[in-house]
Each structure stands twice: as C-alpha cells, then as structure tokens.
Amino acid sequence: MDLHTFLTCLAAVTLLTLTPGVDTMLIIRNSARGGWWDGAVSSLGICSGLFIHASISALGISILLLQTAWAFTALKIVGACYLIWLGGSSLWKVVTHRGGGVRFAEPAVREQRFSFLRSFREGFLSNVLNPKAILFYMAFLPQFIDPTGPPLSQSLLVATIHFTVAMGYQCLLASMVDRARTWLQQPKISRIFDTLTGSVLVYIGARLALDR
C-alpha cells in the first residue's frame, strides 16, 4: 500500500469510526456498567470482528450471502435480535413491574463484576452479526486493494488500520465514560442513561430488522 492509498484509507476508517452507531452505544453502555476495562475489552471484541468481515469479503463469501436471500435475511434477523436483546437487558435493569404498575428500580447493584469473556463476546457478536458491516466492507475494501496482489493479505492490512484507529478512539471514549461514572451512577441520571442507551440499541435493532 503506497502512502497516498494509506492516508486515504486512514481518513476513511477514521470518519467511519467517529460516526455514532451501535459500536459507540455499546462502548458507552458497557463502560458505564463496568468501567474502563469493560469498555476496552468490548472494543477489543468489536474490532476483532473487523478481521472476520475483511476475510469474508476477500474470500467472496459475503457475495454468496448477498446472492442467497434467505441466508442474508437470516443473518440480518439474528443481528437485529442480538441488538434488541442488548438494549432490552439495559431497560430491564431499570424497569420492574409490581402490582400491575411500572416503577424505576434503584441501581444499587449497578456496578457489576468485570467479566472479560462477557465484554468481549458482546462486542464481537454485535459487530460480526451486523450485516451492514459486511455490505460496508464489500464496498470499502476494493477501493484499497491492488488486483495484482493477494486480496486476503491486503484486506487484513486494511482491517488492521481500522482496528488500530477504532481501538484508540473507543478506549478513549471508555475512559471518558469511566471518569463520569460517579455522576452517571446517581439514581436519577442512571435511570435516564440506561433508558436512553437501551432504547437506542432496541431502535437500531428494530430498524435493522425492518430495513429492506
């Protein structure tokens, strides 16, 4: 990859990383839940999924998915359901039903024990099960691949650049959320925060499922 191609690729993945979306919401949610390590490991899971998309795109499997309607639809539904489940789990923390009414529960146990596997799994699955990421990499990768060279190694190089930029930004975001955890854990703020992040994840999942 020459310098011009590298700088163009760097600018493209930086803009993509800075665009708010599922990744951003998940990092904010998990960092508020378990601190910087929770957010950083979630970021590691998200960014590890980039290599899966790069490999799939390079090997042409994603083209097969797009040409096989039921496979792509199945992937889309699974990804959407997972996002809805993540958002719903946040909403479930703050909403309980008693006596036919609804009340917001106090987040007395808001801070949970950090689990590397849980954080990594949530990040990895949210990225790998997102069909829009497959579509993006199919359109994105050919712009930076020399057809005379091996496509897989070039695709993995692009994914490495994306990984580095995304990890840096998301870990910084996790640090900012971690510093604000005392404020975020105030009962009223906590309820608003969990309701907002949970609702956004559910909304994104529903839009993904309904998207044609």
Side-chain angles (χ1 to χ4, degrees):
M1 184 181 293
D2 57 48
L3 180 60
H4 178 267
T5 303
F6 170 77
L7 293 177
T8 304
C9 179
L10 180 62
V13 299
T14 299
L15 289 174
L16 174 65
T17 300
L18 295 177
T19 302
V22 174
D23 295 347
T24 301
M25 294 306 301
L26 188 63
I27 295 299
I28 293 174
R29 169 188 178 271
N30 289 3
S31 299
R33 176 185 67 189
W36 183 85
W37 276 108
D38 203 336
V41 175
S42 299
S43 176
L44 179 62
I46 290 170
C47 296
S48 295
L50 300 175
F51 293 101
I52 302 298
H53 291 306
S55 300
I56 287 175
S57 297
L59 296 174
I61 299 177
S62 52
I63 296 178
L64 177 62
L65 280 175
L66 291 178
Q67 293 181 344
T68 308
W70 70 266
F72 184 74
T73 300
L75 177 63
K76 183 175 71 171
I77 296 301
V78 170
C81 289
Y82 185 70
L83 291 178
I84 292 173
W85 179 82
L86 285 176
S89 66
S90 291
L91 295 175
W92 186 252
K93 291 178 183 178
V94 295
V95 178
T96 58
H97 298 270
R98 286 188 177 180
V102 178
R103 74 173 183 87
F104 287 100
E106 294 300 324
V109 293
R110 175 171 177 79
E111 184 171 354
Q112 302 179 26
R113 179 177 299 179
F114 168 67
S115 169
F116 183 97
L117 181 60
R118 178 189 63 190
S119 300
F120 184 88
R121 181 182 64 244
E122 289 179 349
F124 183 77
L125 290 178
S126 71
N127 184 272
V128 171
L129 294 177
N130 186 355
K132 290 188 176 181
I134 295 179
L135 290 172
F136 172 80
Y137 260 79
M138 283 194 64
F140 181 75
L141 283 177
Q143 313 302 321
F144 305 101
I145 291 181
D146 182 355
T148 62
L152 181 58
S153 60
Q154 294 182 79
S155 298
L156 292 178
L157 175 59
V158 173
T160 300
I161 296 172
H162 195 176
F163 177 95
T164 304
V165 173
M167 275 293 295
Y169 169 72
Q170 290 170 1
C171 285
L172 177 61
L173 179 61
S175 178
M176 294 171 62
V177 175
D178 185 37
R179 290 175 180 273
R181 286 179 73 202
T182 301
W183 178 73
L184 290 172
Q185 289 175 6
Q186 297 178 27
K188 183 179 295 186
I189 300 300
S190 176
R191 292 193 292 265
I192 295 173
F193 178 82
D194 276 343
T195 302
L196 177 62
T197 56
S199 298
V200 171
L201 286 172
V202 170
Y203 172 76
I204 293 174
R207 284 292 301 271
L208 180 60
L210 298 174
D211 191 25
R212 294 290 182 267

